[in-house]
Amino acid sequence: ILRLYMNLAEKFLSQRGAANLLLGICSDFPEVEPRMITFDVTEEEVVEPSEHMASNLARLRAKGFGIALDNFAACISGEVLARLPLTEIKLNPSLVMGSAQKKGSQNVLQTCLKQVQDLKVVIVAEGVERGEDWDFVASAGCDLAQGHLIAKPMEPAAFQAWAKKQTPATQAAVLAIGR
């Protein structure tokens, strides 16, 4: 299943009715199921979520959309994390890049993982650029990885060609590094 990730800004999410607007747009594409879309919000934007933001996120999650916390670096309290209707947490690339060789990065990454492991969310390591980092984040407990090691940013036509070349085995390897 191909998933679409969309960044949502705090200013938009803090508006009354933002979820309804997104639901209306998505209803124009009935072939795209809510489980195929994950909305990303950055850690900085949800440190103190407004009432409207919390309501909009909860409504989107209740309709089956994924909600990912992007750029997570343990700057947000466990109490706030537990209140958010998250399906994924994406670790900040600064925690991941070079983590296999930097003891300090390993300690911070492992601390972040301990903070979120009880939330029962998918943990994504962003910024995986080397095989050693892939191995480290997999052994540390990350569920998914993204980064230049897997694929560099590409134009839509190049992505279509790349995606067609992926076999179920390589897709499973890319998507399930920690399982």
Side-chain angles (χ1 to χ4, degrees):
I1 191 170
L2 186 61
R3 297 188 56 86
L4 172 66
Y5 287 80
M6 295 187 343
N7 294 320
L8 296 180
E10 174 193 17
K11 187 174 183 178
F12 173 75
L13 275 174
S14 295
Q15 295 176 25
R16 174 178 285 153
N20 289 337
L21 178 64
L22 288 170
L23 292 170
I25 292 168
C26 291
S27 71
D28 291 341
F29 303 92
E31 67 279 9
V32 179
E33 300 172 36
R35 67 185 178 98
M36 300 165 88
I37 300 174
T38 298
F39 295 109
D40 284 4
V41 293
T42 63
E43 180 180 38
E44 301 82 32
E45 294 176 329
V46 295
V47 171
E48 294 182 31
S50 70
E51 180 181 332
H52 290 305
M53 177 187 283
S55 173
N56 285 319
L57 290 173
R59 182 151 164 72
L60 292 168
R61 183 67 200 115
K63 292 295 184 177
F65 295 93
I67 306 293
L69 181 63
D70 202 5
N71 290 327
F72 181 71
C75 297
I76 190 170
S77 76
E79 180 184 322
V80 172
L81 282 173
R83 287 195 323 253
L84 295 171
L86 300 174
T87 55
E88 296 181 24
I89 291 182
K90 296 176 161 188
L91 299 176
N92 190 303
S94 68
L95 298 175
V96 175
M97 289 190 275
S99 60
Q101 296 176 326
K102 298 177 188 169
K103 188 67 172 164
S105 293
Q106 290 175 8
N107 293 338
V108 173
L109 189 136
Q110 288 170 331
T111 299
C112 288
L113 291 173
K114 284 178 189 168
Q115 183 179 1
V116 299
Q117 63 191 163
D118 292 337
L119 297 176
K120 300 199 179 6
V121 297
V122 173
I123 300 171
V124 182
E126 292 187 296
V128 176
E129 296 186 359
R130 298 188 351 240
E132 303 86 39
D133 293 335
W134 171 292
D135 292 339
F136 176 73
V137 298
S139 68
C142 293
D143 301 303
L144 302 176
Q146 70 183 63
H148 289 182
L149 179 67
I150 298 158
K152 291 184 169 68
M154 57 189 92
E155 296 295 323
F159 170 76
Q160 288 176 333
W162 178 84
K164 286 180 184 175
K165 292 179 188 174
Q166 303 309 305
T167 66
T170 58
Q171 290 171 350
V174 168
L175 295 177
I177 64 166
R179 295 201 162 92

